[in-house]
Amino acid sequence: MQGRVLVVDDEKNITFVIQAMLERAGFEAIVFNDSGEAIEAIASEDVDVVVTDLYMPGPGGMEILDYCQKSHAQVPVVIITAYGTVESAVSALKRGAFDFVTKPFDQVELLNVVQKAVATHRQRQKEPIMLFNPTAKEANSTGISSIIGSSPLMQEVFKVISKIAQSPTTVLVWGESGTGKELVALEIHRQSNRANKPFVKINCAAIPATLIESELFGYERGAFTGAVASKPGRFELANEGTLFLDEVAEMPLEMQVKLLRVLQEQEFERVGGVQSIQVDVRIITATNKDLEAEVKSGRFREDLFYRLNVVPIRLPALRDRREDIDLLVKYFLVQFNEKLKKGITGITPETLNALRLHPWPGNIRQLENVLERMVLMCDSNILTTADLPEEFSGVMTESDKDAVDESASLKQIVRKKTQTLERNLIEKALEETGGNVTRAAEKLGLSRKGLQLKMKELGLKRNFEG
């Protein structure tokens, strides 16, 4: 096979002609008439080149080009359009297009361009991946300035943030440790009309139960031994701004009652005080625990849970959005080059592949720590597998190697591994929910339709119909 080519054009006759031309020349052609579906396929299919029309309903060729540049930078993109102008050609080439062909196109010319693009892609796979300097805002398409991610799961998170930021509504951010819950809280505050007011945070797990009340509400002079002067608490400090309560599941039950009262009445008394203090505070809480399970076990008040869970935001684990790892790696390497005064200019595909395959139980925080160590210890300007920590020595198990053909590309290996992980996670969620697809989707941070499509893709629909 000469190579795999993904073709997208809203005109079916065009895709039919291109598909026939490519298949006659020994290529495999994957064709789409819907640009949104094409973008989803680019994320999951192993292709050597993308051929796209410039003007289409929905995302156009430039949007597809931008997506490839951010998430699949090694895949060349060829732009085809009937509106071929010098300005369009220059704009596409400046933004990273491999080449630009106008309709009606000469089939020999297009075939030559595709052949060159495939050869370029295969050469790129053998070379170190060179760094660019993505800011967080450039690493997603939503205007979010502090969070890296272009995966569908993160795009959903960004949409929720944008919708609720301007409201005073209480938000509960749920996610495993290291997924970036505080960054989400900061971004909500940054986009709100309280952005120029205080953002105050407190980790409920880090403060002894005997001190948390005075930390939250402050105290009056003489309230207890050592209280030689009055002190305001976090609620007062956050007045007119945002208070972020991290690890809220660790709050003692007696404090949960007092927090509930503040949420209901927007007032409290300092420890040792009698005067009620009114506050206007937007509450954002975060936890890495299942609060519904905590309620059932009696460790968390049900009425407080409903008060906090007005707008829930579920942050996906890094293993569930592996397509973001490339962006995160490049972003962190730029940061550590500056912090550690190093000159890392790239990373080999094998090394990046190992990072993609790692399970990342510590999520983004773990990835950040691993990359800092790699940059610090690297003796050259290119990160290689020799720079990986010891725990990566078994990232490809024997069963993984047996499951992948020796001639498979890195992307095929990653896809195979990712599908195995997805299958295991979905089966586990379905088992835990008794086969209930709706509840399983909630546990996985997916929509019901999204989970059904993923089950169908993985051949699971026959086994779970609930």
Side-chain angles (χ1 to χ4, degrees):
M1 183 179 70
Q2 295 283 347
R4 300 187 83 212
V5 184
L6 187 145
V7 182
V8 53
D9 192 306
D10 58 316
E11 297 183 49
K12 290 186 177 180
N13 60 322
I14 296 293
T15 54
F16 177 81
V17 169
I18 296 176
Q19 182 177 22
M21 175 197 76
L22 291 171
E23 290 178 349
R24 281 197 304 270
F27 291 89
E28 178 184 351
I30 309 167
V31 302
F32 293 91
N33 300 117
D34 182 290
S35 56
E37 292 179 358
I39 289 175
E40 291 180 8
I42 293 168
S44 59
E45 295 286 348
D46 179 29
V47 298
D48 292 295
V49 60
V50 172
V51 177
T52 176
D53 189 22
L54 184 59
Y55 298 108
M56 295 177 285
M62 288 298 195
E63 286 80 8
I64 290 175
L65 172 61
D66 289 342
Y67 173 76
C68 289
Q69 288 291 99
K70 290 174 182 176
S71 301
H72 305 277
Q74 288 185 303
V75 178
V77 177
V78 176
I79 301 285
I80 303 180
T81 180
Y83 307 96
T85 64
V86 173
E87 291 80 7
S88 297
V90 170
S91 177
L93 293 173
K94 278 185 176 180
R95 286 165 70 167
F98 181 80
D99 210 335
F100 188 96
V101 180
T102 58
K103 298 177 184 176
F105 54 82
D106 180 85
Q107 291 193 22
V108 174
E109 177 192 3
L110 179 57
L111 191 58
N112 286 336
V113 170
V114 169
Q115 287 171 333
K116 286 190 291 184
V118 170
T120 299
H121 177 242
R122 294 186 173 177
Q123 180 60 34
R124 285 175 180 174
Q125 288 185 305
K126 300 176 184 177
E127 297 171 348
I129 298 168
M130 306 313 290
L131 300 179
F132 65 104
N133 190 348
T135 64
K137 190 170 183 179
E138 291 168 338
N140 61 70
S141 58
T142 61
I144 302 293
S145 66
S146 61
I147 310 169
I148 299 287
S150 60
S151 62
L153 288 176
M154 289 307 297
Q155 291 302 313
E156 287 301 314
V157 171
F158 297 147
K159 286 179 185 176
V160 175
I161 290 174
S162 299
K163 284 182 179 179
I164 57 94
Q166 289 290 326
S167 74
T169 304
T170 302
V171 180
L172 173 63
V173 186
W174 181 89
E176 295 179 10
S177 294
T179 50
K181 298 185 288 294
E182 184 176 335
L183 285 178
V184 170
L186 275 166
E187 187 59 37
I188 293 171
H189 176 74
R190 189 192 70 80
Q191 290 194 31
S192 75
N193 52 14
R194 300 170 183 257
N196 61 344
K197 299 296 182 179
F199 177 85
V200 178
K201 59 184 179 180
I202 183 170
N203 188 322
C204 300
I207 300 173
T210 54
L211 297 179
I212 192 167
E213 182 176 4
S214 59
E215 284 290 328
L216 285 173
F217 305 129
Y219 54 82
E220 297 291 356
R221 178 181 178 183
F224 48 82
T225 303
V228 295
S230 298
K231 180 183 176 182
R234 305 298 174 94
F235 269 94
E236 283 180 79
L237 296 175
N239 190 36
E240 297 185 344
T242 302
L243 178 61
F244 175 53
L245 301 175
D246 198 8
E247 304 301 348
V248 71
E250 305 302 324
M251 184 176 287
L253 280 168
E254 59 270 22
M255 274 305 304
Q256 294 178 26
V257 177
K258 296 181 180 182
L259 176 60
L260 181 62
R261 182 203 166 197
V262 181
L263 291 174
Q264 291 172 334
E265 302 175 14
Q266 291 283 292
E267 67 176 26
F268 60 92
E269 293 83 37
R270 289 179 177 175
V271 176
V274 293
Q275 182 179 357
S276 292
I277 300 173
Q278 295 276 341
V279 288
D280 172 20
V281 175
R282 203 255 182 90
I283 302 292
I284 302 176
T285 60
T287 181
N288 60 7
K289 293 186 175 180
D290 183 343
L291 280 190
E292 290 185 84
E294 294 294 295
V295 168
K296 290 176 183 177
S297 68
R299 291 188 294 268
F300 202 85
R301 291 182 62 94
E302 185 175 23
D303 48 4
L304 179 58
F305 168 69
Y306 290 124
R307 277 282 177 179
L308 299 180
N309 197 44
V310 179
V311 177
I313 297 179
R314 289 180 176 267
L315 276 184
L318 186 55
R319 62 181 173 273
D320 296 329
R321 57 180 187 110
R322 292 174 183 272
E323 56 265 60
D324 288 333
I325 288 177
D326 290 26
L327 277 175
L328 288 162
V329 167
K330 292 173 182 179
Y331 178 78
F332 285 134
L333 290 185
V334 171
Q335 307 308 307
F336 293 134
N337 267 340
E338 182 176 347
K339 175 183 176 180
L340 304 174
K341 309 303 180 188
K342 300 283 279 189
I344 305 299
T345 59
I347 181 170
T348 65
E350 294 83 3
T351 309
L352 188 56
N353 182 52
L355 295 173
R356 293 184 191 121
L357 294 178
H358 196 66
W360 299 113
N363 293 293
I364 298 171
R365 187 181 297 124
Q366 182 188 7
L367 173 64
E368 182 179 6
N369 293 339
V370 164
L371 289 170
E372 182 170 9
R373 178 171 40 177
M374 290 174 68
V375 171
L376 183 63
M377 302 303 291
C378 183
D379 294 324
S380 69
N381 63 343
I382 299 291
L383 291 181
T384 69
T385 53
D387 299 306
L388 290 167
E390 187 177 341
E391 61 261 32
F392 282 79
S393 59
V395 71
M396 281 291 285
T397 65
E398 289 305 314
S399 61
D400 293 330
K401 292 173 183 175
D402 292 341
V404 181
D405 186 88
E406 290 182 1
S407 62
S409 69
L410 292 174
K411 192 168 181 181
Q412 286 172 322
I413 295 170
V414 172
R415 186 184 178 197
K416 189 86 173 178
K417 180 70 173 177
T418 301
Q419 286 180 332
T420 300
L421 288 168
E422 288 175 338
R423 176 185 293 275
N424 292 339
L425 289 168
I426 291 172
E427 286 180 339
K428 184 173 182 287
L430 288 165
E431 287 170 6
E432 290 176 351
T433 59
N436 187 301
V437 174
T438 301
R439 288 174 55 207
E442 290 174 357
K443 287 180 73 70
L444 294 166
L446 300 171
S447 66
R448 177 184 170 85
K449 182 180 179 182
L451 178 55
Q452 287 175 324
L453 290 172
K454 182 59 68 175
M455 288 166 61
K456 183 177 180 182
E457 176 189 328
L458 297 173
L460 289 171
K461 193 164 180 61
R462 296 188 302 272
N463 302 324
F464 299 97
E465 295 290 346

